[in-house]
Amino acid sequence: MKQENKNYLTHHVFFWLKDPSSKEDLGKLLQGLQTLEQIETVRKIYIGVPASTEIRDVVDSSFSASELLFFDDAAGQKIYQDHPLHKKFVDDCSHLWQKVIVYDSTDISF
Amino acid sequence: MKQENKNYLTHHVFFWLKDPSSKEDLGKLLQGLQTLEQIETVRKIYIGVPASTEIRDVVDSSFSASELLFFDDAAGQKIYQDHPLHKKFVDDCSHLWQKVIVYDSTDISF
């Protein structure tokens, strides 16, 4: 069964570092992202870097890091958004990035 | 345990329909996406539409549908990419969309 019985809200955030060549900055960002796991409404967390898949026009591999979180619903995502640990992450790490894009999807698989 | 013992490759695709107001076109696209579950290297599949989370500058909720697939690795993603069922989906549905963005991430959670 590849589809789950439960329909999650997925919150996928892509980060572009100000200095994409800095391994130190990437390390700090990835370390900061790890702290978000502790927020109680986060059901699953995947922290990533661009994968080495085929280069194609439609594939955007220019980001530095990605954060994929699963929540039960929009209320759970809102609790995360306002949570002190999330605010601390933004305070500690937002100077590192130049751009962020967030995509929130409601899973409708059946 | 919110992080998995296994590090997946996540393949997240966002689709913008030519006619975002057409429920019929959205239905066709979502139906087409469902067929991708059958490809053997797909480990998990989540098919989504924009969630009703808070409106913020960084949140892009302009897409029509999203497809989040989990693979073991880039080789699994490549098999999917070249698979007859994937090609059939593109043949059947690509006339519906005006834009696609793909983000491939390697999960490095520990």
Side-chain angles (χ1 to χ4, degrees):
Chain A
M1 189 62 181
K2 297 171 182 180
Q3 296 186 17
E4 306 203 35
N5 291 325
K6 181 168 171 171
N7 286 125
Y8 288 101
L9 185 152
T10 63
H11 175 74
H12 213 161
V13 188
F14 297 89
F15 299 89
W16 283 261
L17 287 174
K18 281 181 190 156
D19 180 1
S21 67
S22 170
K23 293 201 169 169
E24 196 186 330
D25 287 1
L26 179 62
K28 279 184 201 162
L29 176 58
L30 295 174
Q31 206 162 14
L33 288 170
Q34 295 282 342
T35 65
L36 303 174
E37 184 186 10
Q38 302 165 52
I39 299 176
E40 57 272 19
T41 57
V42 172
R43 298 292 175 239
K44 302 184 196 192
I45 181 168
Y46 302 89
I47 294 165
V49 294
S52 53
T53 48
E54 200 177 359
I55 294 164
R56 297 182 293 134
D57 280 351
V58 293
V59 179
D60 185 347
S61 59
S62 65
F63 62 98
S64 306
S66 63
E67 165 209 345
L68 170 60
L69 301 180
F70 283 61
F71 296 99
D72 288 340
D73 49 31
Q77 198 282 325
K78 176 71 176 148
I79 288 169
Y80 158 86
Q81 198 65 37
D82 299 336
H83 197 284
L85 278 171
H86 180 251
K87 287 186 191 295
K88 181 174 169 19
F89 162 70
V90 174
D91 286 347
D92 289 351
C93 294
S94 61
H95 68 283
L96 300 170
W97 64 69
Q98 52 163 307
K99 189 175 86 168
V100 170
I101 299 182
V102 179
Y103 298 97
D104 290 330
S105 299
T106 301
D107 179 28
I108 53 152
S109 305
F110 44 87
Chain B
M1 190 61 181
K2 296 171 183 180
Q3 297 187 14
E4 305 203 37
N5 291 326
K6 181 168 170 170
N7 287 125
Y8 287 102
L9 185 152
T10 64
H11 175 75
H12 212 160
V13 188
F14 297 89
F15 298 90
W16 283 261
L17 287 174
K18 281 182 190 155
D19 180 0
S21 67
S22 169
K23 292 200 173 176
E24 196 185 330
D25 287 2
L26 179 62
K28 280 184 201 162
L29 176 57
L30 295 174
Q31 207 162 13
L33 288 170
Q34 295 282 341
T35 65
L36 302 175
E37 184 187 9
Q38 302 165 51
I39 299 176
E40 58 271 18
T41 57
V42 172
R43 298 293 175 238
K44 302 184 196 190
I45 180 167
Y46 302 89
I47 294 165
V49 294
S52 54
T53 47
E54 201 177 358
I55 294 164
R56 296 182 293 134
D57 280 351
V58 293
V59 179
D60 186 346
S61 58
S62 65
F63 62 97
S64 307
S66 62
E67 164 209 347
L68 171 60
L69 302 180
F70 283 61
F71 297 99
D72 289 340
D73 48 31
Q77 198 281 328
K78 177 70 176 149
I79 287 169
Y80 157 87
Q81 198 66 37
D82 298 336
H83 196 283
L85 278 171
H86 180 251
K87 288 187 190 295
K88 180 172 170 21
F89 161 72
V90 174
D91 286 347
D92 290 351
C93 294
S94 62
H95 68 284
L96 300 169
W97 64 70
Q98 53 164 305
K99 189 174 87 168
V100 170
I101 300 182
V102 180
Y103 298 97
D104 290 329
S105 300
T106 300
D107 178 27
I108 54 152
S109 305
F110 45 89

